[in-house]
Amino acid sequence: MPLIRLDKYISQRSQLTRSQIKALCARGKVTVDGAVVKSSDTKIDPETAVVAADGAQISSETKRYILLNKPEGYVSSTEDGDGPSVLELVPEELRTKDLFPAGRLDKDSLGALLITNDGDLAHKILSPKRHVSKIYIVKLDRPFKSKYVDIFESGVELASGEVCLPAKVKMVENCEKLAFIELTEGKYHQVKRMFAAVENHVDILMRVSVGGLILPEKLGFGQCMELLHKDVENLLRPLDFDAFCSEFSGVFSAILINK
Ligand code: URA
């Protein structure tokens, strides 16, 4: 197995950035096989090295974070079910057998889906207690009504009797059948059921952000990209809904209009 730099080894397996690792090394807080290593560019054998940073052992397994722009027709599970699994879209060179989709998008839904092997991060993104928001753009069957804003803000009641947490919704300017909606929870078919509760119908649904991570315009349907550290950190950051809608309505409405 070729040797790799210590900072690369740690950054691939933890949330630490290379500059944090460098600083920890300089302070004598990083050990390899029990010996302090002060220089973060030291080469180590990733197969055998036992590395600890700031008193905690670094897992020998690589953490992987992949953002997929999900196309329709794929299911958000690890195995093929009612259609091929989204995992089939992960390029060979990024695949490991422990990857799973962190969250669900319906078979006919589109957009941002995180695929990872980091169970802790997935839990943080999905737990309603963390309030990590997800923004969707929808194409509606009938024109948007301004009353949706208050209804969704006060917690819409679904046909099942379940009451949703307050959600923000905004019509795309000059496009009365397009709207953005921000949720901080993930009930089954939630967006579709929320619009059904106000007697509308979602024809197309696309997730455009997870936390502070916005789906890049250049990532086409069916394409994946490996996330950089700053992108992974962004997943847990808040995003200003109104500012997002103003800045990105042009980009995402063009994508939906052309669907
Ligand atoms: N809400 C839905 O209705 N479907 C999805 O795929 C995601 C959110």
Side-chain angles (χ1 to χ4, degrees):
M1 176 58 99
L3 302 184
I4 64 167
R5 284 172 59 127
L6 177 58
D7 52 3
K8 181 171 186 189
Y9 178 95
I10 299 175
S11 66
Q12 284 177 335
R13 292 161 178 80
S14 74
Q15 298 285 309
L16 293 167
T17 62
R18 291 212 181 190
S19 56
Q20 288 169 330
I21 297 161
K22 191 173 178 187
L24 283 171
C25 284
R27 286 168 45 216
K29 296 279 190 187
V30 176
T31 59
V32 177
D33 298 330
V36 170
V37 175
K38 290 213 153 192
S39 160
S40 61
D41 59 3
T42 304
K43 295 273 181 49
I44 64 165
D45 183 343
E47 288 280 279
T48 59
V50 177
V51 178
D54 216 8
Q57 187 167 331
I58 302 292
S59 157
S60 57
E61 276 164 33
T62 317
K63 294 274 184 276
R64 188 146 272 175
Y65 308 93
I66 297 160
L67 182 66
L68 166 69
N69 185 357
K70 182 190 168 301
E72 54 201 315
Y74 285 80
V75 292
S76 305
S77 55
T78 47
E79 282 164 21
D80 295 359
D82 185 26
S85 161
V86 286
L87 295 182
E88 292 184 22
L89 295 165
V90 176
E92 205 66 51
E93 66 276 14
L94 293 180
R95 266 190 221 176
T96 54
K97 56 180 183 322
D98 51 359
L99 289 175
F100 61 91
R104 295 182 60 88
L105 280 176
D106 298 335
K107 187 178 172 188
D108 61 353
S109 296
L110 310 165
L113 185 65
L114 176 71
I115 295 177
T116 184
N117 56 1
D118 185 341
D120 290 341
L121 185 85
H123 178 73
K124 284 181 192 158
I125 290 170
L126 300 176
S127 163
K129 287 197 194 114
R130 301 279 307 212
H131 296 287
V132 173
S133 73
K134 285 100 193 167
I135 300 178
Y136 303 82
I137 184 168
V138 289
K139 189 172 185 181
L140 298 168
D141 184 42
R142 285 182 277 281
F144 185 92
K145 293 196 176 134
S146 53
K147 68 175 183 182
Y148 297 168
V149 175
D150 287 340
I151 297 175
F152 284 13
E153 182 63 54
S154 52
V156 68
E157 183 174 344
L158 304 177
S160 61
E162 288 168 272
V163 177
C164 299
L165 290 175
K168 290 184 184 158
V169 66
K170 196 179 184 114
M171 191 187 100
V172 173
E173 218 173 307
N174 301 323
C175 297
E176 59 175 13
K177 290 192 177 176
L178 292 185
F180 286 106
I181 174 165
E182 180 184 46
L183 303 187
T184 54
E185 57 176 345
K187 298 187 196 302
Y188 183 63
H189 291 331
Q190 182 163 347
V191 174
K192 293 173 184 163
R193 289 158 76 209
M194 287 172 80
F195 281 100
V198 291
E199 289 158 6
N200 209 321
H201 176 82
V202 172
D203 286 336
I204 304 180
L205 184 154
M206 179 177 179
R207 183 152 65 198
V208 290
S209 78
V210 177
L213 182 73
I214 298 166
L215 185 69
E217 194 184 342
K218 64 174 191 329
L219 195 67
F221 290 115
Q223 289 184 340
C224 288
M225 60 182 265
E226 190 164 25
L227 295 180
L228 303 172
H229 242 293
K230 63 177 171 40
D231 300 322
V232 176
E233 285 174 356
N234 254 342
L235 285 164
L236 297 175
R237 293 223 171 94
L239 194 62
D240 181 319
F241 181 67
D242 291 317
F244 171 87
C245 295
S246 310
E247 192 173 343
F248 290 96
S249 59
V251 171
F252 290 120
S253 57
I255 295 174
L256 246 65
I257 285 165
N258 292 322
K259 269 309 257 172

